Amino acid sequence: MTPRSSVALRHTIAMISATAIFTLGLAACGSSDDANKGANAGGGGGACNGSGEVIFWHFFEDREADVITEAINNFEAMCPDITVKESGGQDDDVIIQAISAGQKIDVALSSAGDQVGVFCSTGAFEDLAPRIEADGIDMSQIVETAASYSEFQGTRCTLPMLTDSYALMYNQDMFDEAGITDVPKTLDELADAAVKLTTYNDDGSIDTLGLMPFTLYYQMTETNFAVTVNARFLNEEATASVIDSDPGWPVFFNWQKDLIKRLGGYEKLNAWFAAIGNQWTEENDFQTGRVAMMFDGEWRTAFIADQAPEMNYGVAPLPMSSENADLYGAGFLTGNVIGIPQGAGNADAAWSFIKYMALNEDAQVQMGNGLRNIPTFLPALNSPALEVDEHYQVFVDAAFNPNSMTIQSSLIGPAPQEMLSAFIERWQSGTDTDLTAGLKNVSKQVNDQLSLAGVG
């Protein structure tokens, strides 16, 4: 059985049919409310336009949903003529299907920033530029990287609403017990530490794992590993795959295969994987001590504070390959994007709500502190009210590192990552052993899909 996380995939990439969204965009054109667009809104997130009910769909659940509800309550207090009807726990697939079916959604929050190219190019989400211009919003007040991944080729159909940054998290007690005094900074050091931290049962099975080298295990994703080897998926214009030509990818694949062998082989790791704990509960493997190191986002610090407050852990930048050691400190950035789906019934009030969530300092600080996500509105990021500790600071530093990577939007959404991920699964299991041919085949698949989307 191919290992795959069975838990909620909030931060993983959802594959959405570009064709379906394109159809949606054509069918819904002209149905938004253009009246009085942006009048008297002013800059930032403090103005109230419109009235009535705003239907808001988002993906947050449980404790995190409570943080969003608090933000909604604060917005309604500021804009008493607008009420927000929220629907949490809705992932991108569900939202798109609902919109396609003609269900009214005034504001949608997506965790898949790599879908922005599809959202914007198909008209599935309203172009916000006229509203931004009418309100005189200063876009330089948005974190530059977040501003870049929330638009596509000059069309801004979303705004960023908090961002995620990734780093290496490690169990300090396990490090101390194993005599590891230095946090791994290179992939070679990471592999050595993983082997040293791994313990085995009497029957030879893995008890505690130093690091899971499989992708699709929690946030051990191909995008985070891309940072460690400075590898790209597409060329700069997002018109062709470079997966088969980027020198970084072979470095990752060979490193991964070597580590799998050093840890006992695929079958032994796969058996350990079969008992994976739910990523979003107290059963998370890192929080229970089942795994000693992993890549994860800044939100994990909030989960640990809530579910494993006594845990002794540390956070460090992602390790780099020896060829890219000078890039140490870089991370992978992606985040939530918020916009008005075509077909929204109360677009003016929806825009007031979006401004509050994305451009209001108090709202961004409140949600940043509650979710431990990184604000994307600079006044909030610089606010003394934002709670920053030594763990959170590592993620913030990565967010501003000039070598950090982010999503490269394209007309085919997350297809390049999805296609590479499928090959990685075959590679790590040993069912596909020809790396050169495999990468060429992935590139061909990506280019074929780009061609179908009208690129190139």
Side-chain angles (χ1 to χ4, degrees):
M1 177 179 176
T2 301
R4 180 180 295 274
S5 173
S6 60
V7 299
L9 300 178
R10 183 191 63 168
H11 293 275
T12 59
I13 299 163
M15 185 67 178
I16 299 175
S17 166
T19 302
I21 296 175
F22 179 68
T23 303
L24 161 70
L26 290 178
C29 284
S31 57
S32 64
D33 181 6
D34 293 329
N36 197 30
K37 188 175 290 186
N40 303 317
C48 304
N49 269 14
S51 61
E53 183 179 79
V54 170
I55 300 173
F56 173 43
W57 282 31
H58 62 81
F59 54 83
F60 288 107
E61 298 178 282
D62 303 324
R63 175 187 56 80
E64 294 188 312
D66 293 339
V67 176
I68 300 302
T69 300
E70 181 181 351
I72 291 172
N73 292 338
N74 292 338
F75 169 75
E76 290 177 334
M78 185 184 80
C79 299
D81 291 335
I82 302 174
T83 58
V84 177
K85 182 180 180 181
E86 69 171 316
S87 180
Q90 308 294 342
D91 65 24
D92 293 312
D93 288 327
V94 174
I95 289 174
I96 293 300
Q97 289 167 8
I99 297 171
S100 300
Q103 188 164 346
K104 297 293 185 184
I105 301 175
D106 297 305
V107 177
L109 179 68
S110 169
S111 63
D114 49 5
Q115 292 285 2
V116 170
V118 178
F119 291 157
C120 292
S121 64
T122 61
F125 278 51
E126 177 184 314
D127 183 359
L128 300 177
R131 296 181 185 276
I132 291 171
E133 182 179 0
D135 285 359
I137 291 173
D138 181 4
M139 294 298 290
S140 70
Q141 293 300 297
I142 296 176
V143 173
E144 184 175 358
T145 305
S148 71
Y149 67 63
S150 52
E151 67 173 356
F152 180 68
Q153 295 182 347
T155 299
R156 173 163 297 287
C157 68
T158 70
L159 287 176
M161 196 206 87
L162 307 175
T163 194
D164 296 324
S165 172
Y166 295 82
L168 173 69
M169 306 188 74
Y170 58 94
N171 186 310
Q172 185 62 61
D173 289 339
M174 291 184 180
F175 267 42
D176 293 342
E177 186 175 346
I180 299 175
T181 56
D182 296 323
V183 178
K185 293 184 178 180
T186 69
L187 286 181
D188 290 339
E189 292 173 355
L190 181 66
D192 290 343
V195 172
K196 195 168 187 178
L197 288 161
T198 299
T199 62
Y200 299 87
N201 298 308
D202 292 341
D203 62 0
S205 61
I206 295 172
D207 181 19
T208 299
L209 186 61
L211 178 90
M212 169 49 83
F214 293 171
T215 56
L216 296 181
Y217 173 72
Y218 294 167
Q219 303 304 316
M220 303 298 291
T221 63
E222 62 281 350
T223 48
N224 279 324
F225 276 115
V227 175
T228 69
V229 293
N230 196 29
R232 265 64 175 177
F233 296 86
L234 299 171
N235 62 7
E236 188 172 346
E237 297 78 21
T239 56
S241 170
V242 296
I243 290 172
D244 61 336
S245 59
D246 191 301
W249 287 119
V251 174
F252 158 69
F253 278 93
N254 289 321
W255 173 87
Q256 184 201 39
K257 174 150 285 190
D258 181 67
L259 181 56
I260 289 173
K261 181 179 180 181
R262 293 177 67 187
L263 292 172
Y266 173 81
E267 296 301 332
K268 189 168 289 188
L269 283 166
N270 199 29
W272 183 92
F273 188 96
I276 184 175
N278 188 309
Q279 182 175 189
W280 308 113
T281 72
E282 61 277 4
E283 298 303 318
N284 177 285
D285 290 342
F286 183 67
Q287 295 173 191
T288 61
R290 194 165 177 263
V291 68
M293 300 183 290
M294 66 177 185
F295 300 163
D296 213 337
E298 77 291 329
W299 66 84
R300 180 56 50 197
T301 63
F303 279 86
I304 292 174
D306 180 53
Q307 298 169 349
E310 302 303 321
M311 184 175 185
N312 184 19
Y313 71 100
V315 181
L318 296 175
M320 304 297 294
S321 63
S322 56
E323 297 88 343
N324 296 288
D326 59 326
L327 302 182
Y328 183 70
F332 179 75
L333 304 182
T334 185
N336 312 323
V337 294
I338 190 168
I340 303 173
Q342 288 289 355
N346 195 1
D348 282 346
W351 175 236
S352 294
F353 179 59
I354 286 174
K355 286 191 298 180
Y356 180 78
M357 300 294 274
L359 302 170
N360 183 285
E361 179 179 338
D362 291 341
Q364 286 262 302
V365 169
Q366 176 255 316
M367 291 187 289
N369 286 339
L371 300 170
R372 303 308 290 154
N373 289 167
I374 298 173
T376 43
F377 188 49
L378 285 173
L381 190 56
N382 296 322
S383 170
L386 185 67
E387 298 166 2
V388 179
D389 60 22
E390 60 178 330
H391 297 142
Y392 187 75
Q393 187 64 53
V394 176
F395 296 103
V396 173
D397 290 344
F400 284 94
N401 188 296
N403 297 311
S404 289
M405 294 184 179
T406 187
I407 297 164
Q408 191 175 11
S409 295
S410 76
L411 289 177
I412 59 174
Q417 298 96 304
E418 294 275 354
M419 292 172 176
L420 182 62
S421 178
F423 173 64
I424 293 174
E425 288 188 72
R426 298 193 300 273
W427 170 263
Q428 65 195 17
S429 68
T431 58
D432 200 332
T433 58
D434 191 333
L435 180 58
T436 300
L439 294 179
K440 284 187 178 298
N441 185 48
V442 173
S443 270
K444 182 180 184 303
Q445 294 175 42
V446 172
N447 290 332
D448 287 347
Q449 189 142 342
L450 284 167
S451 180
L452 287 173
V455 180

